[in-house]
Amino acid sequence: MGLTVTALLMLLINAHAAETTILAPLSGTDIYNGLRGKSFNEDWKFYKGDASEGQKTGFDDSSWATLTLPHDWSIFNDFNEHSAAGSGGGCLDGGIGWYRKTFGVPSDYKDKKVFIEFDGAYMNSQVWINGKSLGTRPYGYTSFEYDLTPYLVYGGSNVIAVRLNNNQPTSRWYSGSGIYRNVWLTVLNPTHVDYCGMFVTTPTVSSSSAAVNIKTKILNQSGEFQLVTLKTTLLDAKGNTVATQTSSDVKINADGNSTLSQDIAVSNPKLWSPSSPYLYIAKTQVIIGGSIADTYQSTFGIRSFTFGPNDGFSLNGVNMKINGVCNHHDLGALGAAVNYRAIVRQLDILKAMGCNAIRTAHNPPDPQVLEACDRLGFLVMDEAFDVWETGKNKLNDYHLYFKDWAKADIQAMVMRDRNHPSVIMWSIGNEIQSPIVKTAAVLRDWVKAVDSTRPVTWASNNMGGSNEQAITDLLDLAGHNYHPKWYDILHNKYPDWKMLGSETVSAVRSRGIYKTPADQKVLRGSDNQCSSYDNGSDAGASNARQSYKDINSRKFMAGEFVWTGFDYIGEPWPYEWAAKSSYFGIIDTAGFPKDIYYFYQSKWTTEPMVHILPHWNWSSDTNAAVWAYSNCDTVELFLNGVSQGVKSAGDSLHLAWNVPWEPGIIRAKGVKGDTVVYDQVTTAGSPARVKLKPDRTSIIADGRDLVFIETDITDANDVLVPNATNMVNFSVSGPATIVGVDNGNAISRERYKGSSRSAFSGKCLVIVQTTKVPGSIVVTANSSGLSSDSVTVSSIKAID
Ligand code: GAL
């Protein structure tokens, strides 16, 4: 017997608390459909191209590839200078692709309802079951469900077919192409809770008690009248029952539905917050004639928050800044194909920086992103659209579908995501071109119709515009993209506006590249790289330090979402081809922090830290600009043991010394109260070794889990060689495969799907995935002329 869904959830919730426990990836459970869906990801056939009559049951797909979803066909491509995606889309082609899956349906499903859920398919999906069209869904970022029941062959074989068309350019960033998120099959009794049919809210919250309201929509598809009892139980994170309520004799007409509202009090609730992301579970049972007809479960959190026009954001009565980042959805070398472990790794890296919030730029995220945000403790701005009626990629982006689909898509997002405590605001759009006031009002109302508990905002970079001001005025929050001069002007003009920096900074940098003068703007270079001193911004634009100051010197600003947490594929501003991925990230596409990561850590965390830059391999005529980011009281710099002076860190944004370079060790000593911390950089000799550093040495044999192996080129003394570009060849023995390689270099055009990678600024990455077979995985890295390295990772039995 496998674990029950509740036990699995407990494992998920508790896993993060105990560092030694391995995170169990979500297994056989969706997270917004009552945890009732079964994974439907395996044994799909795929064809890249169009297939005439590919929807027909008898179509011969034997020559098609067999694969497991989630799948992104674009990430397997070579970069193409002439791709219709453009450099904005990462120079990776899209086009048309088909998927088919043949599956058996037992005859006892005859009395059931059978649904299929797609968490997202990019894009323009058309879906058929046994040759019958189920529908189309243009927006590639939306989740949707179809009822298969009327068309199934019971006790026989069935075929589901999906055609996708990513007719690029369709997004301003890399979208990926394919069924790139999970697919679920849900088999229910005819009387059951609707898809996304439970809505949990917490109308009043204090540390001594909370009122929890659960609205549950029950569908009666049995063809006859039903008398139903609804029993709802609240469980704490350990699975203990907190409270139960039973509503009996609920009458539902044949083919009717009924929404029940239950109020349950929780005394001494454990409040959810980024620092204490405590989750409860609401479990409801639909009982008919004494038998349980359906069980629907949702995690939820108990927390309250307010935005004020003068004092910004407060959570559970405590004023705090939103220290957030915007992220696009790709997962670097894995492309857009969703992987739970890869999402958690990104969030773990951000958490260690002190980040407490994510903006899902500029589309609904994969639902697992929100599950991970709930569990790891991130606030979320959940965003619907990048365009309304007017396109940005004029040809093919979502503006073509907005008029017909906006209501369905925005309500699908809100219905799906409204039980997540992490989600604290809905964004109806980003930098909308020629925005129409009426459209904004309609979008707001569509959101409010399915969730009136959260504020609605948008992200505008044109706050001086009269339409933009009129729209912001009818929303709950004023999301400013850039242009901090409007913060004060509009705070004075509209004293009741509640404001935040929905997008800030947009400075660019390449990990490990330093361009001087460090204190002047250096945007472009003939090497197509950007500088890692915080000096990579456009003439008029802010850098990270200035944006931080703009937000944090104003109590009325609720906080900021920095553009971006992670680099993403596409939008390689300030370059075009030959660059193919962004420079905006605080962290590169491989997951390696750039120096600016430590600026945010120095401001967003309190654990004493100091970080110095640049590397220490220069020529003897260099007068090096040495910078430190620190939250200590003082920082003293030493070159080969000789003090270069003590500086008071206090509220400063960075500390700087000019040091005539000589080889050796540059070392910073940070002092905070009684605590002393150090950071140092050593001059490296020639490349001599490859060094592998896996992020974990024990992972799960479920065919999904990943180990990310950081690969350093070091000298004979294990010092990272900061300008090394050696080619590294990876190989794996044991039950695992290499699923991606990267080095974070925006101008590298090596394929993400490969087994070798050149280093960039001394580093590259290999990502290895388990199979379902447990065992020892040995990953080896060789590089010509260097001593090789290998690591062993145990793949342990999955909990089924
Ligand atoms: C913003 C936009 C983002 C991204 C960024 C780059 O204006 O909202 O999607 O394009 O610029 O600086």
Side-chain angles (χ1 to χ4, degrees), residues 40-45 66-69 100-102:
F40 205 54
N41 288 337
E42 293 191 358
D43 293 324
W44 286 78
K45 304 293 273 183
T66 302
L67 50 78
T68 299
L69 305 177
R100 284 168 56 91
K101 178 173 162 105
T102 303

Side-chain angles (χ1 to χ4, degrees), residues 103-359:
F103 62 106
V105 173
S107 32
D108 59 4
Y109 279 15
K110 231 186 213 116
D111 302 326
K112 305 277 183 190
K113 298 289 294 180
V114 183
F115 301 93
I116 190 166
E117 291 90 21
F118 291 83
D119 287 357
Y122 204 91
M123 65 177 276
N124 276 311
S125 64
Q126 294 171 267
V127 183
W128 294 266
I129 179 75
N130 297 331
K132 309 261 180 352
S133 170
L134 291 167
T136 64
R137 202 72 198 220
Y139 200 27
Y141 300 112
T142 226
S143 298
F144 53 96
E145 181 194 62
Y146 292 117
D147 182 359
L148 304 182
T149 319
Y151 315 107
L152 291 175
V153 177
Y154 296 91
S157 173
N158 294 265
V159 180
I160 187 127
V162 180
R163 179 184 188 267
L164 301 174
N165 185 2
N166 181 8
N167 186 16
Q168 295 166 321
T170 54
S171 289
R172 291 185 301 111
W173 51 88
Y174 175 70
S175 62
S177 313
I179 308 180
Y180 69 110
R181 293 179 177 170
N182 291 292
V183 179
W184 310 96
L185 196 77
T186 307
V187 182
L188 301 173
N189 286 315
T191 302
H192 57 263
V193 179
D194 196 7
Y195 171 70
C196 300
M198 179 194 270
F199 184 22
V200 187
T201 57
T202 50
T204 60
V205 173
S206 75
S207 54
S208 57
S209 75
V212 180
N213 176 265
I214 304 107
K215 288 195 175 54
T216 310
K217 183 174 179 188
I218 309 167
L219 303 184
N220 174 7
Q221 300 180 329
S222 67
E224 49 197 53
F225 168 86
Q226 296 290 353
L227 197 60
V228 167
T229 295
L230 192 71
K231 180 179 173 193
T232 299
T233 306
L234 303 188
L235 304 161
D236 68 14
K238 293 202 172 100
N240 301 316
T241 297
V242 175
T244 299
Q245 193 178 110
T246 304
S247 312
S248 52
D249 294 341
V250 181
K251 302 179 181 92
I252 314 179
N253 289 332
D255 301 321
N257 65 74
S258 176
T259 300
L260 259 91
S261 179
Q262 295 174 306
D263 290 303
I264 304 183
V266 175
S267 47
N268 303 315
K270 292 205 170 61
L271 303 186
W272 184 96
S273 70
S275 56
S276 176
Y278 192 91
L279 294 177
Y280 290 87
I281 293 172
K283 170 176 159 184
T284 203
Q285 292 169 324
V286 178
I287 301 168
I288 300 176
S291 308
I292 298 169
D294 188 21
T295 301
Y296 189 108
Q297 301 183 80
S298 175
T299 46
F300 71 99
I302 298 179
R303 45 88 180 123
S304 65
F305 63 88
T306 55
F307 285 87
N310 296 314
D311 58 356
F313 178 70
S314 297
L315 181 69
N316 300 324
V318 180
N319 193 255
M320 63 183 277
K321 281 280 191 229
I322 295 172
N323 296 328
V325 297
C326 306
N327 271 339
H328 276 310
H329 68 304
D330 77 62
L331 295 166
L334 304 176
V338 156
N339 179 283
Y340 188 65
R341 169 62 203 157
I343 293 167
V344 169
R345 175 184 181 242
Q346 285 200 338
L347 292 176
D348 280 343
I349 293 169
L350 290 169
K351 191 89 185 172
M353 184 175 82
C355 172
N356 64 17
I358 303 290
R359 171 177 177 224

Side-chain angles (χ1 to χ4, degrees), residues 172 328 362 386 430-431 461 481-482 503 506 563 568 571 584:
R172 291 185 301 111
H328 276 310
H362 302 297
D386 192 45
N430 173 61
E431 298 189 356
N461 62 339
N481 280 15
Y482 311 100
E503 206 171 303
S506 263
W563 190 265
Y568 49 97
E571 208 179 26
F584 297 112

